[in-house]
Amino acid sequence: MSVESLSALDRSTLRERSLEALRSAILSGRYRPGDHLGEVELAGSLGVSRGTVREALRHLQQEGLVTTGNRGMLRVNSLTSAEVRELFRVRAALEGLAVREVIASARREAAAETLRAAVERLSDEDEAAARIEADLAFHLLLCQLSGNSMLVEAWQRLEGRMRVAILNGAAWQAPMMARDRHVPIVEAIERGDVEAAVRVVDEHMTAAAEHFAEATESA
Amino acid sequence: MSVESLSALDRSTLRERSLEALRSAILSGRYRPGDHLGEVELAGSLGVSRGTVREALRHLQQEGLVTTGNRGMLRVNSLTSAEVRELFRVRAALEGLAVREVIASARREAAAETLRAAVERLSDEDEAAARIEADLAFHLLLCQLSGNSMLVEAWQRLEGRMRVAILNGAAWQAPMMARDRHVPIVEAIERGDVEAAVRVVDEHMTAAAEHFAEATESA
DNA sequence: GGGGGGAACACTGTCGACAGTCGGCACGGA
DNA sequence: TCCGTGCCGACTGTCGACAGTGTTCCCCCC
């Protein structure tokens, strides 16, 4: 009786799929920082028209993964170690606000529980890529639980740059994403200790900043 | 419901000019929140092709000035009063970081002086539009003087939403942008008093948040 | 052998057209 | 009157093509 229902994936536009493909290609390191991204070449390899990849590239440009070169040409972006440090300081400010709002929220208990569960997914053994995803998911969740949509948006805008920074030091990120590093945050939220929570987040970010900044310097 | 045609003597690309034209059209209130923005119609009134306005619209979408409606159609965005409050809390966090970094900076004195000059441009008598510009310029300058490029970027990403919020309560913004409100910030920076500076910024943002949130509610 | 001119080349900017799809409306039947 | 249904218009998604412009490299002349 029922016709094959169109899966939601087929609903996505070519532009969205191209965008996702390019983003993951860059983030997986298939393109090196500084590599030139030609519209025609990408269009050919993705099997779509130039206009379509063009839109995807412009989107990536606004995300900060791609930057405009000499003649309007686009190339893969990279971050200096100073920018990495700056990035983490902004993150600290944002996530500091997040923990503040989570603690002040009426649903603090439920939020803490959710975060506790997310921390458990931060395995110390998994693949590097999985660990990165779990780490970013934890911090995004923290922002989401604040209930501040503008905060979530701002954080997500930084996410692209974050991933670039992480990519630079991908080989050494191990100790940063460990479960130990995140448990104190959850505990401070559970206790409702604003000062401690903010301080812990700050320290976490400072340590991560140093880590990845050094990684970029030696690259 | 029309935008002025673009002048042809400019060296910038049509896409950039279309973007600027659309942005100022929305921000000047020529389009009301919820208004549908059709690609063909805009292309006609701007005198460019659909693909060109399409890119501009996508840019505006990422800026948050325009949001995707029912069928992938774009319409002018508006903010709820709750979102306005959230927005200002994020701004407070960002600008709090800014004053912290400015004070910690080696060029604190020079920065304070620059800010002092910017405050003077916050006239109490000028046109509403000019006052808004001067106010935003002051806060942007504050971020820029921190020397944190990622912070500047994050702030600018919020700027579009800011202007939407301001637009909603455009008639009542008078007391918010007054010089008195900003002088204490500069003074705290001059004294190097971090705690006071952050507190003043926070209060400034909270007051502004209430102001514009109420304005959007009664609109 | 070195430098200048010029001709392909390789891009991006911009455009007009075709096709798919969604919403609304009129019409006919119960 | 109310509901199903098929048509129509509008709008976006996507594409291929043309034009303008740096860039590069080769060839000729000094």
Side-chain angles (χ1 to χ4, degrees):
Chain A
M1 183 64 193
S2 81
V3 185
E4 186 80 8
S5 78
L6 291 103
S7 95
L9 259 127
D10 293 336
R11 274 295 230 245
S12 70
T13 63
L14 277 180
R15 181 182 64 85
E16 286 165 356
R17 270 177 284 174
S18 304
L19 175 58
E20 196 49 48
L22 283 176
R23 180 158 37 208
S24 77
I26 294 175
L27 258 19
S28 73
R30 180 143 65 231
Y31 297 108
R32 296 267 156 209
D35 274 4
H36 170 56
L37 298 174
E39 296 176 357
V40 287
E41 180 189 343
L42 293 175
S45 63
L46 285 170
V48 296
S49 89
R50 253 189 65 222
T52 305
V53 310
R54 187 183 173 83
E55 281 192 47
L57 283 174
R58 287 253 125 84
H59 198 104
L60 256 31
Q61 184 181 9
Q62 279 203 299
E63 280 184 31
L65 267 65
V66 142
T67 184
T68 165
N70 238 353
R71 199 177 85 220
M73 291 188 189
L74 297 176
R75 54 190 171 76
V76 179
N77 199 7
S78 67
L79 264 47
T80 67
S81 60
E83 285 171 332
V84 171
R85 273 180 253 261
E86 292 169 3
L87 178 57
F88 277 92
R89 287 207 295 277
V90 176
R91 245 188 97 178
L94 251 28
E95 299 195 23
L97 175 62
V99 296
R100 253 186 267 267
E101 301 209 344
V102 166
I103 292 177
S105 155
R107 293 186 301 279
R108 194 192 83 207
E109 312 258 331
E113 204 168 322
T114 310
L115 283 171
R116 176 68 76 175
V119 163
E120 291 310 315
R121 286 194 288 277
L122 287 166
S123 165
D124 297 319
E125 300 151 15
D126 282 338
E127 193 84 25
R131 210 158 41 215
I132 292 172
E133 290 309 314
D135 179 80
L136 288 175
F138 173 85
H139 288 280
L140 175 58
L141 182 62
L142 178 62
C143 292
Q144 286 169 333
L145 288 171
S146 76
N148 187 329
S149 62
M150 292 294 153
L151 173 55
V152 173
E153 206 173 291
W155 193 92
Q156 286 179 320
R157 287 251 160 82
L158 255 42
E159 188 178 354
R161 315 299 279 254
M162 284 297 314
R163 299 186 108 107
V164 170
I166 291 174
L167 190 62
N168 281 338
W172 306 312
Q173 90 289 40
M176 261 318 114
M177 315 281 185
R179 192 183 295 145
D180 301 351
R181 294 254 172 198
H182 297 82
V183 170
I185 299 176
V186 180
E187 284 173 350
I189 292 175
E190 281 171 345
R191 292 198 313 273
D193 188 341
V194 175
E195 295 309 316
V198 171
R199 193 176 58 248
V200 170
V201 167
D202 228 74
E203 286 167 1
H204 181 48
M205 287 300 142
T206 307
E210 274 319 305
H211 190 85
F212 288 111
E214 283 174 18
T216 20
E217 271 163 14
S218 65
Chain B
M1 195 98 161
S2 86
V3 196
E4 291 103 24
S5 210
L6 272 33
S7 79
L9 284 94
D10 207 324
R11 199 50 55 105
S12 62
T13 65
L14 278 180
R15 182 182 64 85
E16 286 164 356
R17 270 178 286 170
S18 303
L19 176 58
E20 195 50 47
L22 284 175
R23 180 158 38 208
S24 77
I26 293 175
L27 258 19
S28 73
R30 187 159 339 153
Y31 296 109
R32 294 272 153 208
D35 273 3
H36 169 56
L37 298 175
E39 296 176 357
V40 285
E41 180 189 343
L42 293 176
S45 62
L46 285 169
V48 298
S49 89
R50 253 190 65 223
T52 305
V53 310
R54 187 185 173 82
E55 281 191 45
L57 284 173
R58 286 253 126 85
H59 199 103
L60 256 30
Q61 185 180 9
Q62 279 202 297
E63 281 185 31
L65 266 63
V66 142
T67 183
T68 163
N70 239 354
R71 201 175 89 217
M73 292 189 190
L74 296 176
R75 55 190 172 74
V76 178
N77 199 6
S78 68
L79 264 48
T80 67
S81 60
E83 286 171 332
V84 171
R85 274 181 252 261
E86 292 169 2
L87 178 57
F88 277 92
R89 288 207 296 277
V90 176
R91 246 190 97 178
L94 252 29
E95 299 196 23
L97 174 63
V99 295
R100 255 186 266 266
E101 301 210 344
V102 166
I103 292 178
S105 154
R107 292 186 302 278
R108 194 193 81 206
E109 313 259 331
E113 202 168 322
T114 311
L115 283 171
R116 176 68 78 176
V119 163
E120 290 311 315
R121 285 194 289 276
L122 287 165
S123 166
D124 298 319
E125 301 150 16
D126 282 338
E127 194 86 24
R131 210 158 41 214
I132 292 173
E133 290 309 314
D135 178 80
L136 288 176
F138 173 84
H139 290 279
L140 175 59
L141 182 62
L142 178 61
C143 293
Q144 286 170 332
L145 288 171
S146 75
N148 186 328
S149 62
M150 292 293 154
L151 173 56
V152 173
E153 206 174 291
W155 192 92
Q156 285 178 320
R157 287 255 158 82
L158 255 42
E159 188 178 356
R161 314 298 279 253
M162 285 297 312
R163 298 184 108 108
V164 170
I166 292 173
L167 191 62
N168 281 337
W172 311 349
Q173 89 290 36
M176 262 318 115
M177 316 280 184
R179 192 183 296 145
D180 302 351
R181 295 254 171 198
H182 297 83
V183 169
I185 299 176
V186 180
E187 284 174 348
I189 292 175
E190 282 171 344
R191 292 199 311 275
D193 188 341
V194 176
E195 296 309 316
V198 171
R199 192 176 60 247
V200 169
V201 167
D202 228 74
E203 285 166 2
H204 182 48
M205 287 301 143
T206 307
E210 274 317 305
H211 190 85
F212 288 112
E214 282 172 19
T216 47
E217 272 162 12
S218 66

